[in-house]
Amino acid sequence: MANSADAVDGHDLGDRHERYDLAVVGAGPAGLAAAAAAAEHGVRVALLDSAPWPGGQFYRQPAAELRASRPQALHHHWPAFQRLLARLDVARERVTLLADHHVWSVTGGSGAFAVRALTGPDQRQARQLTARQVLFATGAHERQLPFPGWTLPGVVGAGGAQAMLKAGLVLPGRHVVVAGSGPLLLAVASCLVTAGATVPLVAEAADYLGYARGARVLAANPGKLVEGAQHGATLLRHGVRLRPRTAVVAAHGTDRVEAVTLGRLDAAWRPVPGSEWRVPCDAVAVGHGLVPQLELPLELGCRTRRLPDGSAALVVDAAQRTSVPGVWAAGESTGVGGVQLAVTEGELAGLAVAGQTAAPRELLRRRARQRAFAELMAARHAPGGGWTQWLDDATEVCRCEEVTARQVRDAVSELGAPDQRTVKLLTRAGMGWCQARMCGPAVARLCGAHDDGAPTRPLSTPVPLGLLAECDTPAPPSEGAPDDHP
Amino acid sequence: MVVIGAGMIGAACADALARRGMRVAVLDRGPVVGGTTGAGEGNLLVSDKGPGPELELAVESLRLWRELAEDLGPRALEYEPKGGLVVARDRQAFTELQASARLQCLSGVTTVEVPADALGELEPHLAPGLAGGVHYPQDAQVQPALAAAALLRRARDTGRVHLLAATTVTGLSEGRVETDAHGTLLCASVVNAAGTWSGEIAALAGATLPVLPRRGFVLVTEPLPPLVRHKVYAADYVADVASGSADLQSSAVVEGTAAGPVLIGASRERVGFDRGLSVPVLARLAAQAAELFPALREVRVLRAYRGFRPYLPDHLPAIGPDPERPWLFQACGHEGAGIGLAPATARLVAQLLDGEQPFMDPAPFGPGRFGKEQA
């Protein structure tokens, strides 16, 4: 390690770049709570996020120029968000909010991490800082399982539809079928009808009856029941039907989606032959749960575990420490569990970073309760292996590189490709712009896995080559580089 | 026959042996093309090799690659006979490059000297101010994972090859290969094509083979319209390949691909199997690429990947039987040239196994050249 270029880099950087005690990557609920808790105890924090405003996916805000009068109409827990922002404001001398900063790499080790980000118009400006510790609150992205016709305009991610609404107050269509699996679907449908769309139905691939088996966990999380009931009441009021064990098995249309075929599923998510029916619509909002976004911590070597739904999540201890010294994590990156768990974990992580070893009992109890609920949800909504039966040979699995289900299956059956990486090498699936964020879980599962895989991505976001070239600047201290390096 | 390793070398060996009528099991501890093959660029180069046995092997190998491309179809391999262009930054470098090209000519390499004012015709986007270059029409490109898979498929189509992935070799002795997943395999000979892990395989049989990993990073840009036509690199690359230094060396090889992205590779470091991201290494590759092609400066790097080249202390591969164990054939240690050298390596292995007169003298690749074995 002593003569590796990175160690040199990690040590030299500090003389010429901004220094912080803690860099929090991600300003969603977990990152906001962590930054607030740490700063309140004297820690100097840099809080970085790719979005122009803090809030993350959950508290996504409409652009100011849209002059939304009541953004909170589409948000639950808005007051909690306001409280977090107020706390950050009080601690503002110790918190530097770096919005519109896309972090592309974090390197180094405990005591000296180098955080590199891109900012500015078209992300063509570099910003570099060092931090003694790093906290990843990088959130999650949506898991997509493809179906014939899913590349038609009008088919959007469920989370994406919600984000469009929250950020731009734009509806994906007038008649929106909501489909996939997971608790997000109810929230999305509720959002859509509140904003004026009609939702012919919500197709949930899993069987909601399964929740009954987790009755004790449910009873311990009354807030979740209330939240579900609120969405349920909204949907009921608008006459939206929830169909469990149902999936969109095909979308139809020429220039744009015009209808979907729905089908009943068995317990393993296999479509039941003869059960199909057609529903007209002009948009489909679809998502099959959320997958933690882990490329930055994986590059640092953080250990992961598998959740019951097959997603990979960071292993953390009671204080939210990852397996790598100086690296912490909170929120969806430790396992998808929703906004309340994210805030709880953020608080605990922030306190621990600040050296507050005795965490409040109530917070610890809350985390245990909310984590149990998250694991229950992950188990209930774990994708069944039968979904691959609704793919036809021509269905594009990787949209960026236009790789079909047939090509992936050939790589598996003819060449014995056992995993997503090998399929990628043999077909280019996952080599394009999204770097397998969209197709990775589907390809992993087409290889016969019951999990999403966890591909590594040394660059977590594209970097202009000219800026990358400038990162090779281990200048000797004697040169006296200016402190106010941009 | 048992071939250990389902990368490029193992695939080529399995194919060559099966086509001679032998029954072959190909084992790999992981998936097919999971090691260096899956992390390489697919360079088929004569340009970077000085006169000597490796160049002789390369010239034959590139001829065999042309045959393979005709037989399997260039698309199956993404074979592109694009040629290489080595450029010199200054007069002195150009003089040295010209001298080395003349020597390469004597070994069957076609070289075309390109004066400074003619570089633009070959590569319109090349930086101005270079002293000149040498064009190597024989240099070519395959997509290594596809090429290895295509060879494995052709080998399997003979009906004499069994592929056993996810199978780790746990013991090795004359006539016997012990595995974790498929018990004991009985065989006449074993071909060790385990790449970076060949040293461990050799050790199972009690042999010494000092194969070490040499890390490399490759940058991949966003898809672009045709910008780079050849494999282009600066003349100092040739010096890097032969270097024994542990420190980072890199001289970017810049090339376009059929799929659109430009590949920039590859750095060379001896850091064991450290998978950690090294930003300064990526930065240096980027800087060198931008120096050759200033237009790349504005282009976005989409991804980077890393791999470990299997190298031996004298930078030559080990090909042939172990001196003490005539049943154990080594076919490994090709460093960054394994894709290019695979077909000729397989040919040499097959000829030696069959007791046939080899097409070249295999002595320089003799596995016995690394001294006495362990006690």
Side-chain angles (χ1 to χ4, degrees):
Chain A
M1 190 68 196
N3 66 350
S4 107
D6 236 347
V8 172
D9 170 47
H11 291 295
D12 280 4
L13 268 179
D15 301 331
R16 299 177 294 112
H17 301 279
E18 306 164 60
R19 283 168 169 279
Y20 296 89
D21 297 324
L22 174 69
V24 176
V25 184
L32 287 169
E40 281 161 1
H41 290 86
V43 177
R44 260 177 50 78
V45 182
L47 176 57
L48 302 104
D49 198 284
S50 58
W53 293 278
Q57 297 295 340
F58 192 83
Y59 298 122
R60 188 181 283 270
Q61 302 176 56
E65 56 270 27
L66 294 173
R67 294 198 182 80
S69 54
R70 290 174 61 246
Q72 64 272 31
L74 295 172
H75 282 285
H76 289 263
H77 310 293
W78 192 258
F81 177 46
Q82 294 300 318
R83 279 197 299 277
L84 282 174
L85 291 182
R87 282 171 63 193
L88 281 178
D89 192 45
V90 170
R92 64 180 171 274
E93 280 179 11
R94 284 185 297 279
V95 180
T96 305
L97 175 64
L98 300 172
D100 186 29
H101 277 63
H102 301 246
V103 176
W104 61 270
S105 99
V106 178
T107 53
S110 191
F113 290 97
V115 179
R116 294 177 172 88
L118 298 171
T119 185
D122 210 17
Q123 294 161 51
R124 294 208 170 253
Q125 212 177 311
R127 177 117 175 208
Q128 219 161 294
L129 55 92
T130 55
R132 290 151 57 82
Q133 308 195 66
V134 183
L135 192 152
F136 290 111
T138 42
H141 55 85
E142 207 156 31
R143 182 193 288 121
Q144 293 295 353
L145 302 179
F147 48 86
W150 78 303
T151 54
L152 280 170
V155 180
V156 298
Q162 197 179 28
M164 273 165 74
L165 262 177
K166 287 177 179 177
L169 309 173
V170 183
L171 280 167
R174 305 301 308 168
H175 306 282
V176 191
V177 169
V178 177
S181 190
L184 182 66
L185 298 187
L186 295 182
V188 170
S190 161
C191 245
L192 287 169
V193 293
T194 305
T198 60
V199 174
L201 88 166
V202 177
E204 163 62 59
D207 190 345
Y208 263 95
L209 289 175
Y211 282 102
R213 280 175 224 139
R216 199 181 302 165
V217 176
L218 278 179
N221 287 276
K224 288 285 181 189
L225 286 181
V226 172
E227 193 184 315
Q230 281 168 351
H231 290 314
T234 308
L235 297 181
L236 203 63
R237 204 161 56 240
H238 289 87
V240 178
R241 293 186 55 192
L242 171 66
R243 299 285 302 244
R245 279 204 183 179
T246 303
V248 169
V249 295
H252 315 282
T254 43
D255 298 333
R256 185 183 168 84
V257 63
E258 289 158 15
V260 291
T261 297
L262 292 142
R264 291 274 294 157
L265 303 182
D266 69 9
W269 290 31
R270 278 183 297 246
V272 176
S275 72
E276 298 88 358
W277 77 101
R278 219 173 147 110
V279 172
C281 62
D282 61 7
V284 183
V286 63
H288 297 84
L290 300 173
V291 182
Q293 205 150 285
L294 302 180
E295 43 272 271
L296 292 169
L298 284 180
E299 280 305 314
L300 282 171
C302 295
R303 288 226 321 270
T304 59
R305 68 191 177 107
R306 286 284 167 203
L307 261 59
D309 67 344
S311 59
L314 294 178
V315 172
V316 286
D317 69 5
Q320 302 292 133
R321 260 186 222 100
T322 70
S323 61
V324 174
V327 181
W328 310 68
E332 311 291 47
S333 57
T334 72
V336 171
V339 62
Q340 289 156 322
L341 176 59
V343 170
T344 308
E345 288 192 354
E347 291 281 349
L348 282 166
L351 289 173
V353 170
Q356 303 292 305
T357 41
R361 280 260 175 88
E362 168 50 25
L363 270 183
L364 293 172
R365 271 200 297 269
R366 206 188 300 166
R367 181 179 57 188
R369 204 168 64 222
Q370 291 165 342
R371 178 54 64 203
F373 183 80
E375 307 263 333
L376 172 71
M377 299 294 261
R380 289 328 310 159
H381 294 283
W387 72 271
T388 56
Q389 294 188 7
W390 69 56
L391 293 177
D392 61 30
D393 277 353
T395 308
E396 255 175 32
V397 174
C398 166
R399 306 169 74 139
C400 305
E401 296 288 335
E402 300 175 1
V403 179
T404 63
R406 172 68 188 273
Q407 288 169 280
V408 174
R409 283 173 168 153
D410 283 353
V412 174
S413 60
E414 282 185 26
L415 296 169
D419 54 28
Q420 191 237 335
R421 178 174 183 267
T422 312
V423 168
K424 177 179 83 174
L425 290 170
L426 297 175
T427 67
R428 301 194 61 81
M431 282 194 188
W433 270 107
C434 86
Q435 290 290 288
R437 284 177 183 86
M438 183 81 102
C439 66
V443 171
R445 288 161 192 273
L446 276 168
C447 295
H450 295 289
D451 61 57
D452 298 314
T456 54
R457 301 179 185 97
L459 305 177
S460 78
T461 191
V463 186
L465 187 125
L467 289 185
L468 184 56
E470 285 160 24
C471 292
D472 184 20
T473 51
S478 58
E479 281 196 9
D483 283 329
D484 56 346
H485 194 279
Chain B
M1 298 295 313
V2 169
V3 174
I4 302 172
M8 189 68 243
I9 302 287
C13 287
D15 179 61
L17 299 176
R19 294 171 83 74
R20 286 169 177 255
M22 297 180 220
R23 293 190 53 221
V24 185
V26 184
L27 312 186
D28 201 292
R29 61 175 200 162
V32 296
V33 304
T36 314
T37 299
E41 292 167 280
N43 284 333
L44 315 182
L45 300 185
V46 287
S47 57
D48 67 337
K49 294 170 184 69
E54 196 191 8
L55 183 57
E56 201 180 329
L57 192 66
V59 170
E60 168 67 359
S61 217
L62 264 59
R63 188 187 67 77
L64 292 171
W65 270 118
R66 278 193 297 278
E67 281 181 14
L68 281 171
E70 278 166 30
D71 187 35
L72 295 163
R75 284 198 55 185
L77 314 171
E78 289 190 10
Y79 176 79
E80 284 184 89
K82 56 166 70 165
L85 178 64
V86 184
V87 296
R89 294 197 178 90
D90 52 43
R91 290 293 297 274
Q92 196 201 329
F94 189 35
T95 310
E96 283 171 22
L97 178 62
Q98 285 168 309
S100 121
R102 279 179 213 123
L103 286 175
Q104 287 169 313
C105 270
L106 301 175
S107 303
V109 177
T110 310
T111 64
V112 184
E113 283 183 19
V114 186
D117 58 4
L119 285 171
E121 283 166 41
L122 287 176
E123 286 291 346
H125 296 278
L126 205 55
L130 293 163
V134 173
H135 178 215
Y136 292 85
Q138 281 153 309
D139 282 359
Q141 161 84 20
V142 289
Q143 205 270 49
L146 281 185
L151 273 179
L152 277 174
R153 202 173 346 198
R154 184 172 88 166
R156 267 215 309 208
D157 288 347
T158 63
R160 291 188 286 274
V161 173
H162 284 273
L163 177 63
L164 306 174
T167 302
T168 302
V169 175
T170 55
L172 205 53
S173 54
E174 182 164 9
R176 297 170 69 88
V177 178
E178 326 271 350
T179 73
D180 59 348
H182 294 276
T184 301
L185 307 175
L186 303 177
C187 58
S189 301
V190 172
V191 178
N192 178 12
T196 326
W197 297 278
S198 297
E200 290 165 43
I201 296 294
L204 287 176
T208 304
L209 200 61
V211 179
L212 287 169
R214 202 176 191 189
R215 182 169 78 173
F217 281 97
V218 177
L219 301 178
V220 187
T221 72
E222 60 190 303
L224 300 171
L227 183 85
V228 183
R229 298 175 181 176
H230 302 81
K231 286 176 178 286
V232 182
Y233 60 96
D236 46 358
Y237 172 78
V238 185
D240 282 350
V241 176
S243 166
S245 159
D247 299 333
L248 160 74
Q249 293 142 50
S250 77
S251 177
V253 180
V254 185
E255 64 183 304
T257 60
V262 168
L263 300 186
I264 301 159
S267 52
R268 291 168 185 268
E269 293 165 279
R270 296 202 318 224
V271 291
F273 282 109
D274 178 3
R275 292 191 67 80
L277 173 67
S278 172
V279 174
V281 175
L282 302 189
R284 207 164 311 173
L285 283 173
Q288 290 173 342
E291 203 186 315
L292 288 175
F293 291 95
L296 287 176
R297 205 163 267 285
E298 301 306 314
V299 165
R300 273 172 294 197
V301 179
L302 214 53
R303 62 196 179 95
Y305 59 90
R306 73 208 115 196
F308 298 93
R309 307 178 186 87
Y311 84 95
L312 284 160
D314 58 1
H315 302 281
L316 285 179
I319 307 170
D322 181 82
E324 311 287 323
R325 299 161 193 81
W327 50 272
L328 176 62
F329 279 72
Q330 311 291 5
C332 50
H334 294 75
E335 196 160 343
I339 307 301
L341 299 180
T345 298
R347 182 154 185 235
L348 207 47
V349 167
Q351 287 178 327
L352 291 170
L353 256 164
D354 252 359
E356 203 175 276
Q357 176 68 32
F359 71 87
M360 69 177 282
D361 175 17
F365 309 125
R369 67 188 195 270
F370 301 108
K372 285 290 147 207
E373 46 226 66
Q374 295 158 334

